[in-house]
Amino acid sequence: EVQLAESGGGLVHPGGSLRLSCAASGFTFSFYWMSWVRQTPGKGLEWVASIGEEGGEKYYVESVKGRFTISRDNTKNSLSLQVRSLRAEDTAMYYCARGPPKNYGPFDSWGLGTLVIVSS
Amino acid sequence: DIQMTQSPSTLSASVGDRVTITCRASQSINNWLAWYQQKPGKAPNLLIYKASNLESGVPSRFSGSGSGTEFTLTISSLQPDDFATYYCQHYDTPSQTFGQGTKVEVK
Protein backbone atom coordinates (compact mmCIF):
# COMPACT_ATOMS: atom_id res chain seq x y z
CA GLU A 1 0.00 0.00 0.00
CA VAL A 2 1.31 3.43 -0.99
CA GLN A 3 1.82 5.65 2.03
CA LEU A 4 3.00 9.24 2.20
CA ALA A 5 3.50 10.88 5.59
CA GLU A 6 4.28 14.58 5.87
CA SER A 7 5.88 16.26 8.85
CA GLY A 8 7.61 19.49 9.79
CA GLY A 9 4.75 21.97 9.72
CA GLY A 10 4.03 24.43 12.50
CA LEU A 11 3.61 28.04 13.53
CA VAL A 12 6.30 30.37 12.24
CA HIS A 13 6.76 34.13 12.18
CA PRO A 14 6.77 36.03 8.90
CA GLY A 15 10.22 35.79 7.38
CA GLY A 16 10.89 32.50 9.10
CA SER A 17 11.81 29.10 7.70
CA LEU A 18 10.72 25.48 7.96
CA ARG A 19 11.70 22.19 6.42
CA LEU A 20 8.80 19.99 5.42
CA SER A 21 9.41 16.28 4.96
CA CYS A 22 7.52 13.42 3.37
CA ALA A 23 8.31 9.80 4.14
CA ALA A 24 7.25 7.45 1.37
CA SER A 25 6.62 3.71 1.53
CA GLY A 26 4.85 0.94 -0.34
CA PHE A 27 6.27 1.72 -3.78
CA THR A 28 9.58 2.20 -5.60
CA PHE A 29 10.11 5.83 -4.69
CA SER A 30 12.96 6.40 -7.14
CA PHE A 31 10.71 5.66 -10.12
CA TYR A 32 8.22 8.46 -9.50
CA TRP A 33 7.97 12.21 -9.86
CA MET A 34 6.95 13.79 -6.57
CA SER A 35 5.26 17.08 -5.78
CA TRP A 36 4.05 19.42 -3.08
CA VAL A 37 0.54 20.85 -3.28
CA ARG A 38 -0.92 23.30 -0.79
CA GLN A 39 -4.38 24.30 0.25
CA THR A 40 -5.24 27.48 2.07
CA PRO A 41 -7.83 26.92 4.81
CA GLY A 42 -11.24 26.86 3.19
CA LYS A 43 -9.81 27.51 -0.26
CA GLY A 44 -8.70 25.58 -3.30
CA LEU A 45 -5.64 23.61 -4.26
CA GLU A 46 -2.38 25.13 -5.48
CA TRP A 47 0.47 23.17 -7.01
CA VAL A 48 3.72 24.33 -5.36
CA ALA A 49 6.64 22.32 -6.70
CA SER A 50 7.59 19.11 -8.49
CA ILE A 51 10.79 17.10 -8.77
CA GLY A 52 11.81 14.45 -11.26
CA GLU A 53 12.53 10.88 -10.27
CA GLU A 54 16.29 11.46 -10.11
CA GLY A 55 16.06 14.96 -8.68
CA GLY A 56 17.51 16.66 -11.74
CA GLU A 57 14.32 18.42 -12.84
CA LYS A 58 12.61 20.84 -10.48
CA TYR A 59 9.70 23.17 -11.09
CA TYR A 60 8.04 25.76 -8.88
CA VAL A 61 4.97 27.95 -8.90
CA GLU A 62 6.03 31.53 -9.55
CA SER A 63 5.03 32.80 -6.10
CA VAL A 64 7.58 30.58 -4.31
CA LYS A 65 10.53 30.73 -6.69
CA GLY A 66 13.67 31.74 -4.85
CA ARG A 67 12.09 31.02 -1.46
CA PHE A 68 11.20 27.30 -1.58
CA THR A 69 13.49 24.42 -2.53
CA ILE A 70 12.26 20.92 -3.31
CA SER A 71 14.62 17.98 -2.90
CA ARG A 72 14.58 14.22 -2.53
CA ASP A 73 16.72 11.42 -1.15
CA ASN A 74 16.01 8.22 -3.02
CA THR A 75 18.19 6.23 -0.61
CA LYS A 76 15.85 7.22 2.22
CA ASN A 77 12.56 7.33 0.25
CA SER A 78 12.18 10.91 1.38
CA LEU A 79 10.91 14.15 -0.16
CA SER A 80 11.57 17.58 1.34
CA LEU A 81 10.50 21.17 0.89
CA GLN A 82 12.68 23.86 2.40
CA VAL A 83 10.54 26.95 2.85
CA ARG A 84 12.16 30.32 3.57
CA SER A 85 11.11 33.96 3.85
CA LEU A 86 7.64 32.82 4.75
CA ARG A 87 4.70 35.15 4.24
CA ALA A 88 1.18 35.15 5.64
CA GLU A 89 -0.09 33.97 2.27
CA ASP A 90 2.02 30.79 2.59
CA THR A 91 -0.27 29.66 5.42
CA ALA A 92 -1.76 26.40 4.18
CA MET A 93 -1.95 22.66 4.49
CA TYR A 94 0.96 21.24 2.53
CA TYR A 95 0.44 17.87 0.87
CA CYS A 96 3.05 15.52 -0.52
CA ALA A 97 1.75 13.87 -3.69
CA ARG A 98 2.99 11.14 -6.01
CA GLY A 99 3.06 11.75 -9.72
CA PRO A 100 3.48 9.23 -12.50
CA PRO A 101 6.71 7.39 -13.20
CA LYS A 102 9.20 9.17 -15.45
CA ASN A 103 7.22 12.37 -16.08
CA TYR A 104 5.11 15.01 -14.39
CA GLY A 105 1.41 14.35 -14.36
CA PRO A 106 -1.63 13.71 -12.16
CA PHE A 107 -1.23 12.82 -8.51
CA ASP A 108 -2.51 9.35 -7.70
CA SER A 109 -1.52 9.25 -4.04
CA TRP A 110 -1.49 11.96 -1.40
CA GLY A 111 -0.39 12.24 2.20
CA LEU A 112 -2.58 13.60 4.97
CA GLY A 113 -0.78 16.94 4.92
CA THR A 114 1.19 19.10 7.33
CA LEU A 115 -0.11 22.51 8.38
CA VAL A 116 2.03 25.62 8.10
CA ILE A 117 0.80 28.77 9.82
CA VAL A 118 2.66 32.00 9.24
CA SER A 119 1.71 34.57 11.83
CA SER A 120 3.27 37.08 14.17
CA ASP B 1 0.61 30.16 -17.03
CA ILE B 2 -2.46 28.22 -18.07
CA GLN B 3 -5.57 29.21 -16.13
CA MET B 4 -8.29 26.68 -15.32
CA THR B 5 -11.84 27.86 -14.74
CA GLN B 6 -14.54 25.60 -13.35
CA SER B 7 -18.28 26.11 -13.41
CA PRO B 8 -20.41 26.21 -11.47
CA SER B 9 -18.70 27.04 -8.18
CA THR B 10 -21.52 25.37 -6.27
CA LEU B 11 -24.04 22.84 -7.49
CA SER B 12 -27.10 21.72 -5.55
CA ALA B 13 -28.33 18.26 -6.44
CA SER B 14 -30.23 15.27 -5.13
CA VAL B 15 -29.34 11.60 -4.93
CA GLY B 16 -29.93 10.03 -8.33
CA ASP B 17 -29.36 13.23 -10.29
CA ARG B 18 -27.05 13.42 -13.28
CA VAL B 19 -24.40 16.01 -12.48
CA THR B 20 -22.07 17.77 -14.90
CA ILE B 21 -19.15 20.03 -14.01
CA THR B 22 -17.26 22.04 -16.62
CA CYS B 23 -13.61 23.00 -16.70
CA ARG B 24 -12.16 25.41 -19.24
CA ALA B 25 -8.47 25.98 -19.92
CA SER B 26 -7.08 29.32 -21.08
CA GLN B 27 -5.29 27.50 -23.91
CA SER B 28 -5.25 24.00 -25.34
CA ILE B 29 -3.93 21.40 -22.92
CA ASN B 30 -3.93 18.44 -25.27
CA ASN B 31 -6.22 16.39 -23.02
CA TRP B 32 -3.71 16.47 -20.18
CA LEU B 33 -6.47 16.96 -17.64
CA ALA B 34 -7.29 15.27 -14.35
CA TRP B 35 -10.27 15.40 -12.01
CA TYR B 36 -10.14 15.00 -8.23
CA GLN B 37 -12.70 14.60 -5.49
CA GLN B 38 -12.04 16.07 -2.06
CA LYS B 39 -14.06 15.65 1.10
CA PRO B 40 -13.72 17.93 4.16
CA GLY B 41 -10.57 17.24 6.16
CA LYS B 42 -9.24 14.76 3.60
CA ALA B 43 -6.67 14.83 0.83
CA PRO B 44 -7.91 14.90 -2.77
CA ASN B 45 -8.55 11.63 -4.57
CA LEU B 46 -7.77 11.15 -8.28
CA LEU B 47 -10.86 10.22 -10.29
CA ILE B 48 -9.99 10.79 -13.96
CA TYR B 49 -6.75 11.30 -15.88
CA LYS B 50 -6.01 12.25 -19.47
CA ALA B 51 -9.48 13.76 -19.67
CA SER B 52 -11.46 10.53 -19.88
CA ASN B 53 -9.55 7.68 -18.25
CA LEU B 54 -11.06 6.32 -15.05
CA GLU B 55 -8.55 5.78 -12.26
CA SER B 56 -8.49 2.26 -10.86
CA GLY B 57 -11.08 1.72 -8.16
CA VAL B 58 -13.23 4.73 -9.07
CA PRO B 59 -16.93 3.88 -9.63
CA SER B 60 -18.07 3.80 -13.23
CA ARG B 61 -20.75 6.44 -12.57
CA PHE B 62 -17.89 8.95 -12.92
CA SER B 63 -16.83 9.85 -16.44
CA GLY B 64 -14.79 12.55 -18.11
CA SER B 65 -14.91 13.99 -21.59
CA GLY B 66 -13.69 16.89 -23.65
CA SER B 67 -10.63 18.01 -25.54
CA GLY B 68 -8.55 21.08 -26.24
CA THR B 69 -9.82 23.69 -23.82
CA GLU B 70 -13.21 22.44 -22.61
CA PHE B 71 -13.77 19.43 -20.42
CA THR B 72 -16.56 17.94 -18.34
CA LEU B 73 -16.87 15.61 -15.39
CA THR B 74 -20.17 13.75 -15.24
CA ILE B 75 -21.64 11.74 -12.40
CA SER B 76 -24.36 9.65 -14.00
CA SER B 77 -26.40 9.04 -10.84
CA LEU B 78 -25.32 10.99 -7.78
CA GLN B 79 -24.79 8.85 -4.69
CA PRO B 80 -24.68 9.99 -1.03
CA ASP B 81 -20.91 9.48 -0.97
CA ASP B 82 -20.46 11.88 -3.90
CA PHE B 83 -21.28 15.10 -2.05
CA ALA B 84 -17.85 16.71 -2.07
CA THR B 85 -15.74 19.29 -3.86
CA TYR B 86 -14.34 18.50 -7.29
CA TYR B 87 -11.24 20.00 -8.87
CA CYS B 88 -9.83 19.85 -12.36
CA GLN B 89 -6.08 20.08 -12.95
CA HIS B 90 -4.05 20.45 -16.11
CA TYR B 91 -0.66 18.86 -16.54
CA ASP B 92 0.19 20.00 -20.05
CA THR B 93 3.24 21.77 -18.62
CA PRO B 94 5.22 21.17 -15.41
CA SER B 95 3.51 24.25 -13.94
CA GLN B 96 0.32 22.39 -13.25
CA THR B 97 -2.68 24.41 -12.10
CA PHE B 98 -6.00 23.51 -10.55
CA GLY B 99 -9.42 24.92 -11.12
CA GLN B 100 -11.02 26.74 -8.21
CA GLY B 101 -13.28 23.83 -7.34
CA THR B 102 -16.96 22.92 -7.59
CA LYS B 103 -18.81 22.04 -4.43
CA VAL B 104 -21.61 19.52 -4.93
CA GLU B 105 -24.08 19.99 -2.09
CA VAL B 106 -27.40 18.51 -1.06
CA LYS B 107 -30.38 20.21 -2.66
Side-chain angles (χ1 to χ4, degrees):
Chain A
E1 180 191 3
V2 174
Q3 291 195 347
L4 300 169
E6 302 92 338
S7 60
L11 175 62
V12 61
H13 292 306
S17 300
L18 284 173
R19 186 176 185 88
L20 309 183
S21 297
C22 173
S25 61
F27 65 102
T28 305
F29 182 72
S30 61
F31 284 6
Y32 288 82
W33 278 62
M34 297 295 296
S35 297
W36 290 95
V37 177
R38 67 186 179 184
Q39 186 167 35
T40 307
K43 299 293 185 181
L45 300 166
E46 181 180 41
W47 167 79
V48 174
S50 293
I51 187 168
E53 67 268 31
E54 297 180 354
E57 294 185 74
K58 301 178 183 181
Y59 300 94
Y60 301 91
V61 68
E62 193 65 34
S63 62
V64 309
K65 284 181 181 177
R67 301 188 299 121
F68 290 14
T69 302
I70 190 172
S71 62
R72 65 190 296 160
D73 185 339
N74 287 346
T75 67
K76 297 181 179 178
N77 292 344
S78 176
L79 176 73
S80 295
L81 186 69
Q82 179 71 48
V83 298
R84 301 182 178 88
S85 303
L86 283 163
R87 307 166 181 168
E89 55 265 35
D90 296 318
T91 293
M93 182 71 81
Y94 284 73
Y95 293 102
C96 166
R98 188 182 82 165
K102 301 188 183 299
N103 203 354
Y104 54 85
F107 309 132
D108 66 352
S109 295
W110 299 62
L112 297 178
T114 188
L115 183 60
V116 173
I117 300 173
V118 184
S119 175
S120 55
Chain B
D1 286 353
I2 299 172
Q3 306 302 314
M4 307 300 292
T5 304
Q6 286 181 235
S7 60
S9 296
T10 305
L11 189 159
S12 299
S14 302
V15 172
D17 285 354
R18 182 181 181 86
V19 167
T20 298
I21 298 168
T22 297
C23 178
R24 289 186 174 87
S26 58
Q27 64 189 69
S28 176
I29 56 171
N30 299 304
N31 294 358
W32 299 118
L33 183 98
W35 289 98
Y36 298 84
Q37 177 194 68
Q38 187 180 32
K39 296 180 180 178
K42 302 288 188 181
N45 182 48
L46 178 65
L47 300 174
I48 302 282
Y49 62 95
K50 205 174 179 185
S52 60
N53 292 271
L54 197 66
E55 176 71 355
S56 176
V58 174
S60 59
R61 62 181 180 272
F62 291 93
S63 64
S65 64
S67 63
T69 62
E70 187 156 336
F71 302 87
T72 58
L73 173 70
T74 299
I75 308 172
S76 60
S77 177
L78 194 68
Q79 298 302 300
D81 192 48
D82 301 337
F83 291 100
T85 301
Y86 294 84
Y87 294 92
C88 64
Q89 174 212 17
H90 92 80
Y91 50 101
D92 184 57
T93 69
S95 299
Q96 306 167 54
T97 49
F98 291 87
Q100 80 278 18
T102 295
K103 183 178 182 179
V104 177
E105 62 179 22
V106 177
K107 187 173 183 179

